[in-house]
Amino acid sequence: QVQLQESGPGLVKPSQTLSLTCTVSGGSISSGYYYWSWIRQPAGKGLEWIGRSYINGSTNYNPSLKSRVTISVDTSENHFSLKLSSVTAADTAVYYCARDLGSGSYLDNWGQGTLVTVSS
Amino acid sequence: DIQMTQSPSSLSASVGDRVTITCQASQDINNCLNWYQQKPGKAPKLLIYDASNLETDVPSRFSGSGSGTDFTLAISSLQPEDIATYYCQQFGNLPFTFGPGTKVDMK
């Protein structure tokens, strides 16, 4: 059973870069069937798709965040990462990593989520 | 971006009731729609993919239908463990977008 687990700082200062890692266990991230995705959810609000990466480095990003986002996959470490630069309070949210079955693009396996607060 | 709307935004129902939630896309997305269930403090869980296909291990009381711009999630007989917020998500066009959610609670 594949499991995903987010990790990273829970507090980031404004204007700095938010960096999170999602470790995949119970399966190989190198499986060619999946994209590896990030989604976020501000407290009490809905879900926002941030973007996804394939193992060959191909990425898709939400245009609303595209200039600030980088998602990358590290097959040697079996994890993938999110970097979001120039953060503001509006980036405070629970961040989820998820596995995306690319052929149908459904998010069939999620991490538990990690709260990131942007505050000085 | 494709905008997704859901109705109602919330509902209260009794155990055993049939519950329906609708989702509408701002443009034709064929059957490129998924449904997720999110319980408080938990990650979303995939229920339905490609508008009408039940994910493995999801109870058969859940069903999905629709195509084009109008979609429905139905729970044939509401159970206490179904108390959650339900989200639709389109993947017909990038960026993928979610509906605002429908909160279901027990009357």
Side-chain angles (χ1 to χ4, degrees):
Chain A
Q1 175 76 356
V2 172
Q3 293 188 314
L4 284 69
Q5 177 69 59
E6 305 89 349
S7 59
L11 180 65
V12 181
K13 288 181 167 43
S15 79
Q16 293 191 343
T17 295
L18 178 160
S19 296
L20 295 174
T21 296
C22 182
T23 300
V24 179
S25 58
S28 173
I29 203 170
S30 298
S31 166
Y33 297 109
Y34 302 106
Y35 283 82
W36 303 95
S37 303
W38 289 94
I39 302 95
R40 69 180 183 178
Q41 185 173 36
K45 297 189 177 181
L47 299 160
E48 180 180 28
W49 181 79
I50 298 172
R52 64 180 185 174
S53 179
Y54 192 61
I55 54 172
N56 66 357
S58 172
T59 54
N60 302 116
Y61 296 135
N62 193 322
S64 68
L65 300 169
K66 187 174 184 177
S67 63
R68 301 193 290 131
V69 172
T70 303
I71 297 174
S72 58
V73 176
D74 186 334
T75 55
S76 65
E77 296 288 339
N78 219 45
H79 71 211
F80 61 107
S81 301
L82 168 70
K83 292 188 186 300
L84 181 66
S85 64
S86 305
V87 296
T88 70
D91 295 310
T92 294
V94 174
Y95 285 75
Y96 294 100
C97 61
R99 187 178 76 173
D100 172 350
L101 184 60
S103 62
S105 199
Y106 33 93
L107 302 162
D108 69 342
N109 202 318
W110 296 62
Q112 66 184 24
T114 188
L115 174 62
V116 178
T117 302
V118 178
S119 175
S120 55
Chain B
D1 298 4
I2 294 179
Q3 306 303 314
M4 307 300 292
T5 57
Q6 288 183 233
S7 62
S9 57
S10 65
L11 66 90
S12 294
S14 300
V15 172
D17 283 352
R18 179 177 177 83
V19 169
T20 58
I21 298 168
T22 63
C23 174
Q24 187 169 57
S26 60
Q27 62 189 74
D28 191 331
I29 56 170
N30 197 3
N31 69 332
C32 297
L33 186 103
N34 304 319
W35 288 97
Y36 299 86
Q37 175 194 66
Q38 186 179 34
K39 297 183 179 180
K42 300 294 187 182
K45 172 188 173 185
L46 178 67
L47 294 179
I48 302 283
Y49 61 92
D50 295 345
S52 61
N53 294 299
L54 200 64
E55 172 69 338
T56 304
D57 294 332
V58 172
S60 59
R61 63 180 179 272
F62 290 93
S63 64
S65 63
S67 184
T69 61
D70 296 301
F71 302 87
T72 300
L73 173 70
I75 309 173
S76 61
S77 177
L78 187 71
Q79 299 302 304
E81 59 267 31
D82 301 334
I83 299 311
T85 300
Y86 294 84
Y87 294 93
C88 59
Q89 175 229 348
Q90 68 81 22
F91 60 94
N93 281 78
L94 289 165
F96 304 146
T97 48
F98 292 87
T102 295
K103 186 175 182 180
V104 175
D105 61 31
M106 205 64 75
K107 193 180 290 182

